[in-house]
Amino acid sequence: MCNEGKRIWNGKRMNPHYQNLVQRLEEISHLNGVMSTLGWDQEVMMPPGAADARAKQIAPLAGVIHERMTDPGLGDCLNELAVVGYAGFAAAEQCNIREALRSYELETKVPKRLVQELAELSSRGHGIWVAARQKNKFADFAPVLQRFLHLRKEWAQHVLPGLDPYDANIDLFERGTTMSMITPVFERLKTELIPLIQAIQNQADQPDTSFLQGRFALDKQEALARRISREIGFDFEQGRMDVSVHPFCGGSHPTDVRITTRYSERNFIESLYAVIHETGHALYEQGRPYELGDLPVSESLTMGIHESQSLFWERMIAQSKPFCQHYFATIRAAFPENLQPVTVDSFYRAINVCKPDFIRVEADEVTYPLHIILRYEIEKGLFDGSIPVDDLPLIWNELTRKYLGINPPDDAHGVLQDSHWSSGAFGYFPSYTLGAMYACQFYRTLLNERPDTEQNVAKGNFAPVKNWLNEKIHHQGRLYTPQQLVEHVTGEPLNPDYFIDYLKGKYRAIYQLA
């Protein structure tokens, strides 16, 4: 039964059942923080030879977390609170109860054996994926993917038996979102963007990008990336930046946020914009309302909302002409041999070049949605059985030719390029393009509310932008659903027209299309 201790909360005596709930949820949050730190270490610092040992460490920790999340005592608290109802609880407290109930109902439906097997396979799978990618050999990774599909289908049957297994996996990242909602939007994007890309490729006047290739000292790249990340607003006293195979944002708490990038001596734009992208994620994490406790209410929303924050900074801000006007002299000073004869306008056109590429994380913002649609359609096929795992490289290449007009030269540039499947993260990819649409809609609202935004960016004054995002999105935690948040911030539901109009307007101007 629930602990009957007493505690003062927001100036009033806390309901004892709620007090016990808070204590349990905070413990779970702290254990998840340990798991996150182990995951970060695995990708950044851990010796390759420690992979098996780390898998054996992660599996029992996952089991402990699962036990805490499925403890009958937690269920007792939630049952007692259900009897009381939400009356008398503040909005933040209601959110904690609601989120805890949903999590408990999901977790209690999953056998401990399945939780541990998924955690161990994820740990082992990452190392197998890295090795397969290095050897350019999908066949080495195929058994892991096949096993993950089996486990994720089993997981879906346990937690959301009324949904299609792939919808259940999508729901894990984009709550309330299904294939029936995503497919029509993605079909429309294909209809709008494929002709735009073709028109751009047929245009004779293509931006000069030659000065973006060459030799760029890694130490200067790192210094530039750290400077811009800090000036945008990343707090290095509560975060750090490192190198990994695949750029990501991790960490255990808003006071411990960790971002990574990867550097190439031949291309500084990739690492710089990866840092800006991950800084967007990090600003969301550092801006969460952790003063409300290490509780569900202070957590971020769906992956789509999270991605909107990284894309907001990467695309709406950092790929804009005002941003280029502010930082161009700094960037040219870092790499004078490459950029001395270059102008701001030519730099702006070069970093916004639209050219189909094999690698998703290196794709421009026009072609990027087609990378996501390709993965979404493949995942659908993997789950409904229409795409056999062994045929995946061929199908991947076929869709790449169909949507982007290019043919991947090998598996490393095709089916093995992403880390997501090595952790069983099916249903994650749609979040990227949902996030792009959210970002455009948020940015349009920001411009309407603060018309001096572009002038501030041109001056390097990013604080008003960061503060607006903190207030409107980051500090809201999980008080709203994603749909409610978008409507609360922008005054209307998600509207893909903003995304389509943004891309058409920007790139027709850059490429001087009619």
Side-chain angles (χ1 to χ4, degrees):
M1 296 298 291
C2 289
N3 188 313
E4 293 297 328
K6 298 290 190 290
R7 183 176 173 185
I8 302 301
W9 182 263
N10 291 338
K12 65 181 181 181
R13 189 176 298 279
M14 182 185 292
N15 178 296
H17 305 303
Y18 182 75
Q19 176 183 343
N20 191 23
L21 177 67
V22 166
Q23 292 170 343
R24 291 174 181 273
L25 294 179
E26 287 183 333
E27 181 186 30
I28 292 169
S29 175
H30 299 156
L31 289 170
N32 278 323
V34 175
M35 181 71 86
S36 296
T37 303
L38 286 174
W40 171 87
D41 176 75
Q42 178 172 294
E43 297 204 35
V44 176
M45 302 289 288
M46 187 187 77
D52 284 345
R54 179 54 50 84
K56 292 174 182 176
Q57 294 162 359
I58 286 177
L61 179 57
V64 170
I65 294 172
H66 182 65
E67 287 175 353
R68 296 293 191 276
M69 296 179 73
T70 59
D71 190 323
L74 177 58
D76 289 341
C77 282
L78 291 169
N79 288 335
E80 296 284 358
L81 290 168
V83 172
V84 175
Y86 287 125
F89 288 103
E93 296 165 342
Q94 292 180 24
C95 177
N96 288 328
I97 297 170
R98 182 176 64 250
E99 293 293 317
L101 180 60
R102 180 180 186 272
S103 176
Y104 183 77
E105 289 178 343
L106 290 178
E107 292 295 331
T108 53
K109 296 175 181 177
V110 183
K112 180 180 177 180
R113 178 269 313 163
L114 178 56
V115 172
Q116 290 180 309
E117 186 170 359
L118 281 167
E120 185 168 357
L121 183 60
S122 178
S123 180
R124 296 184 188 278
H126 178 80
I128 294 171
W129 166 73
V130 170
R133 189 171 182 262
Q134 291 173 342
K135 292 191 294 183
N136 186 34
K137 192 175 180 182
F138 174 75
D140 289 353
F141 179 65
V144 173
L145 182 55
Q146 187 69 64
R147 185 59 183 164
F148 260 129
L149 281 168
H150 174 79
L151 295 177
R152 297 307 302 182
K153 288 178 182 178
E154 181 184 352
W155 174 89
Q157 288 301 313
H158 284 295
V159 299
L160 292 168
L163 286 181
D164 179 282
Y166 186 43
D167 277 340
N169 278 270
I170 293 172
D171 190 79
L172 187 62
F173 301 105
E174 294 302 318
R175 189 184 306 184
T177 305
T178 63
M179 289 181 283
S180 65
M181 300 165 64
I182 295 173
T183 299
V185 173
F186 281 5
E187 287 297 321
R188 183 177 174 211
L189 291 182
K190 285 194 295 185
T191 300
E192 297 282 356
L193 297 184
I194 291 176
L196 176 61
I197 294 167
Q198 291 172 344
I200 289 172
Q201 299 310 301
N202 291 333
Q203 183 72 353
D205 182 20
Q206 295 288 322
D208 176 19
T209 61
S210 60
F211 53 84
L212 298 181
Q213 304 299 317
R215 296 181 68 84
F216 303 90
L218 300 186
D219 59 337
K220 292 185 177 180
Q221 289 190 52
E222 182 178 1
L224 179 65
R226 286 178 176 273
R227 172 179 172 175
I228 292 178
S229 179
R230 180 180 290 108
E231 290 178 356
I232 285 173
F234 183 60
D235 183 357
F236 279 89
E237 291 298 313
Q238 298 184 332
R240 57 180 292 134
M241 184 186 299
D242 295 276
V243 176
S244 66
V245 174
H246 188 92
F248 70 95
C249 174
S252 62
H253 190 264
T255 60
D256 180 11
V257 180
R258 308 182 183 200
I259 58 178
T260 72
T261 188
R262 57 188 179 198
Y263 297 103
S264 168
E265 196 175 50
R266 300 172 65 87
N267 184 342
F268 79 94
I269 289 295
E270 176 188 344
S271 64
L272 176 60
Y273 278 82
V275 166
I276 294 170
H277 180 96
E278 300 307 332
T279 298
H281 283 303
L283 294 180
Y284 190 178
E285 288 299 307
Q286 291 185 334
R288 292 196 286 113
Y290 66 90
E291 66 276 5
L292 295 177
D294 299 331
L295 297 165
V297 68
S298 70
E299 295 174 2
S300 58
L301 275 174
T302 65
M303 296 310 303
I305 296 295
H306 223 305
E307 193 65 16
S308 77
Q309 299 308 284
S310 59
L311 294 177
F312 188 101
W313 284 102
E314 178 190 4
R315 296 179 178 174
M316 321 299 359
I317 301 298
Q319 286 182 238
S320 71
K321 186 167 287 187
F323 185 92
C324 293
Q325 290 168 341
H326 176 69
Y327 276 114
F328 180 65
T330 300
I331 295 171
R332 184 167 58 183
F335 310 111
E337 294 181 1
N338 306 79
L339 303 180
Q340 190 58 45
V342 180
T343 66
V344 173
D345 285 345
S346 58
F347 181 78
Y348 167 71
R349 293 191 74 206
I351 66 168
N352 284 290
V353 67
C354 174
K355 184 177 181 180
D357 196 292
F358 303 114
I359 305 301
R360 173 183 62 84
V361 297
E362 298 175 11
D364 60 83
E365 59 185 338
V366 186
T367 60
Y368 193 99
L370 297 175
H371 284 269
I372 299 306
I373 293 169
L374 178 153
R375 288 155 174 78
Y376 168 72
E377 292 177 352
I378 283 177
E379 288 187 344
K380 282 176 59 181
L382 289 172
F383 271 82
D384 66 25
S386 61
I387 297 179
V389 169
D390 291 341
D391 292 348
L392 201 48
L394 292 176
I395 293 172
W396 183 288
N397 294 349
E398 177 185 341
L399 290 177
T400 303
R401 287 192 296 271
K402 180 179 178 182
Y403 295 158
L404 296 171
I406 55 177
N407 188 43
D410 51 43
D411 290 346
H413 288 82
V415 69
L416 283 176
Q417 65 182 269
D418 292 307
S419 66
H420 300 59
W421 292 341
S422 72
S423 62
F426 301 105
Y428 189 139
F429 284 117
S431 299
Y432 290 112
T433 292
L434 290 173
M437 292 187 284
Y438 288 136
C440 282
Q441 193 160 331
F442 289 145
Y443 188 64
R444 173 49 52 189
T445 302
L446 171 62
L447 292 179
N448 289 339
E449 294 184 2
R450 298 189 175 177
D452 60 347
T453 293
E454 292 185 349
Q455 292 93 322
N456 280 327
V457 170
K459 296 175 183 176
N461 181 16
F462 301 105
V465 177
K466 177 179 176 291
N467 292 340
W468 188 87
L469 292 171
N470 283 157
E471 175 192 350
K472 301 286 187 175
I473 298 166
H474 308 161
H475 291 341
Q476 302 305 319
R478 288 192 177 183
L479 287 173
Y480 299 100
T481 67
Q483 296 77 17
Q484 290 171 338
L485 179 68
V486 172
E487 192 154 2
H488 179 73
V489 173
T490 70
E492 62 179 305
L494 177 64
N495 184 350
D497 287 345
Y498 292 110
F499 182 54
I500 294 169
D501 292 345
Y502 160 77
L503 291 177
K504 285 185 173 181
K506 178 178 179 178
Y507 285 86
R508 281 174 174 166
I510 290 174
Y511 284 89
Q512 300 178 347
L513 300 175

